[in-house]
């Protein structure tokens, strides 16, 4: 009797993109061969490629706990991230939701970072990657916008935790 296998929780399965869920169900039902893996298909720009181990991958449960422990301003920032339409979001949208200028968000980013380190236990963890875009400044050199991103899993987990998907 062969007792080896792959085990996946229901929460994790539900957090996967529809294509990956369908793929796994295809293998389980015998409709797909293991050689037809999504890994052999090209990766789109929106999917996570190999990320830094400290770039937070929050599960839906962690996202729920994260949100529950945040103050009103950091919750609004998470709301904007979850409602952004993808894992990418604009600082100008966060600032507008909170009612401040983009340059006045350092306390919000600090709150998000502290909460993340509490939830993950990783003192090097970070929630938002700012490195893939350049800051936007106006004619007077005032900081007005920047594109941030979270991991795809974190984005989907916040959406699920907030009842948006």
């Amino acid at each position: 009797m062969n007792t080896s296998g792959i085990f996946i929780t229901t929460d994790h399965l539900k957090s996967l993109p529809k294509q990956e869920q369908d793929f796994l169900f295809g293998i389980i039902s015998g409709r797909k061969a293991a050689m037809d893996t999504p890994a052999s298909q090209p990766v789109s720009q929106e999917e996570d490629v190999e990320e830094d181990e400290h770039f937070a991958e929050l599960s839906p449960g962690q996202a729920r706990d994260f949100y529950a422990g945040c103050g009103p301003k950091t919750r609004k920032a998470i709301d904007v991230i979850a409602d952004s339409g993808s894992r990418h979001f604009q600082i100008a949208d966060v600032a507008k939701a909170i009612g401040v200028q983009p340059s006045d968000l350092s306390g919000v980013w600090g709150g998000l970072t502290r909460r993340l380190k509490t939830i993950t236990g990783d003192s090097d963890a970070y929630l938002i990657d700012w490195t893939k875009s350049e800051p936007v400044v106006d004619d007077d050199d005032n900081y007005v916008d920047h594109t941030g991103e979270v991991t795809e899993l974190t984005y989907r987990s916040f959406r699920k935790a907030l009842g948006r998907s």
Side-chain angles (χ1 to χ4, degrees):
M1 178 166 137
N2 186 350
T3 59
S4 65
I6 298 172
F7 301 92
I8 185 168
T9 66
T10 303
D11 280 346
H12 183 76
L13 181 62
K14 288 178 182 178
S15 75
L16 295 173
K18 178 82 169 108
Q19 175 187 5
E20 292 176 20
Q21 290 179 23
D22 292 344
F23 171 76
L24 288 172
F25 287 124
I27 289 175
I28 292 167
S29 68
R31 291 178 294 173
K32 289 194 182 278
M35 297 304 292
D36 299 331
T37 65
S40 66
Q41 300 169 2
V43 175
S44 78
Q45 290 285 12
E46 289 299 310
E47 292 180 31
D48 277 341
V49 288
E50 189 174 339
E51 299 286 356
D52 178 331
E53 68 185 72
H54 300 292
F55 193 16
E57 293 270 5
L58 297 179
S59 69
Q62 287 175 311
R64 202 171 19 261
D65 291 345
F66 186 105
Y67 191 81
C70 289
K73 289 181 181 179
T74 52
R75 283 185 178 190
K76 283 185 181 182
I78 294 168
D79 290 339
V80 170
I81 293 168
D83 293 335
S84 66
S86 77
R87 68 191 200 122
H88 302 92
F89 67 95
Q90 299 303 128
I91 283 183
D93 295 335
V94 174
K96 182 179 178 183
I98 295 173
V100 299
Q101 295 299 311
S103 58
D104 297 328
L105 290 170
S106 61
V108 171
W109 307 135
L112 289 171
T113 300
R114 283 188 301 279
R115 185 70 185 141
L116 178 68
K117 292 177 183 199
T118 298
I119 292 294
T120 65
D122 179 357
S123 63
D124 295 320
Y126 62 100
L127 182 66
I128 302 167
D129 186 352
W130 305 104
T131 63
K132 296 187 178 115
S133 71
E134 294 294 321
V136 178
V137 294
D138 64 15
D139 292 338
D140 295 324
D141 210 29
N142 296 310
Y143 179 71
V144 295
D145 205 3
H146 201 155
T147 302
E149 69 179 273
V150 295
T151 64
E152 185 67 27
L153 176 60
T154 297
Y155 168 71
R156 286 185 276 132
S157 294
F158 277 134
R159 289 191 53 79
K160 183 174 183 176
L162 301 174
R164 291 177 170 85
S165 60

